Amino acid sequence: MAKQDSKPKIGESEKITINLGLIDLGQIDLLVQEGFYSNRTDLIRTAIRNQLNTHADVVKQTVARKSLVLGMQHYSRADLEAIQAAGQRLQIQVLGLASIASDVSVELALATIESVFVLGALHASTVVKTALAGRIH
């Protein structure tokens, strides 16, 4: 059965792009220049973590209510083959990182994965992601 796995590294991150007003950006640069933060990214990460801490109870309640896996969930070819042999289908629901092994074929993914709901990132081969596109919410 699928399990939380350490194959994806904890320190992995996804790059995002944000647009900021010039005044906000200037204030960030001022705080960096004054030594409060080492760089813009440091301030932005700190601000995001502070907001996530502020809303931690809501996140916990929602994770429980929606039956989401919190963290990393990795599906190997063997995991999916066992699910297929059992005649079952997966509803992947993850807050964090869901990954499907690179040796999983399109046919196996389509036969075993009913739906994918990921708040965070989904790592899978391009062909598997394309095949599952209609099942990803």
Side-chain angles (χ1 to χ4, degrees):
M1 188 52 106
K3 59 190 176 300
Q4 289 188 346
D5 193 0
S6 61
K7 287 187 183 202
K9 303 295 182 237
I10 295 288
E12 280 190 19
S13 61
E14 291 287 320
K15 186 175 188 172
I16 64 169
T17 302
I18 61 171
N19 294 318
L20 290 174
L22 296 177
I23 294 172
D24 291 340
L25 187 57
Q27 291 179 68
I28 290 171
D29 287 343
L30 176 69
L31 292 171
V32 169
Q33 183 181 29
E34 292 297 312
F36 289 94
Y37 300 94
S38 57
N39 54 43
R40 290 174 173 176
T41 300
D42 184 29
L43 181 144
I44 293 166
R45 281 188 186 137
T46 300
I48 290 169
R49 285 186 190 116
N50 288 342
Q51 285 301 301
L52 292 173
N53 285 336
T54 298
H55 300 288
D57 287 341
V58 172
V59 170
K60 286 180 196 174
Q61 292 169 9
T62 303
V63 165
R65 183 172 38 87
K66 292 189 175 192
S67 300
L68 298 170
V69 171
L70 179 62
M72 294 185 292
Q73 186 79 36
H74 179 72
Y75 297 92
S76 68
R77 187 178 84 214
D79 293 331
L80 296 183
E81 287 171 345
I83 288 165
Q84 186 177 37
Q88 298 175 340
R89 292 177 53 95
L90 286 174
Q91 293 178 345
I92 297 172
Q93 299 185 128
V94 175
L95 188 154
L97 171 64
S99 67
I100 300 170
S102 59
D103 62 348
V104 170
S105 69
V106 168
E107 295 77 16
L108 182 58
L110 289 172
T112 57
I113 300 172
E114 184 176 307
S115 64
V116 179
F117 177 76
V118 177
L119 295 169
L122 171 63
H123 289 184
S125 68
T126 303
V127 293
V128 166
K129 278 186 177 180
T130 300
L132 293 174
R135 301 175 187 186
I136 298 173
H137 309 284

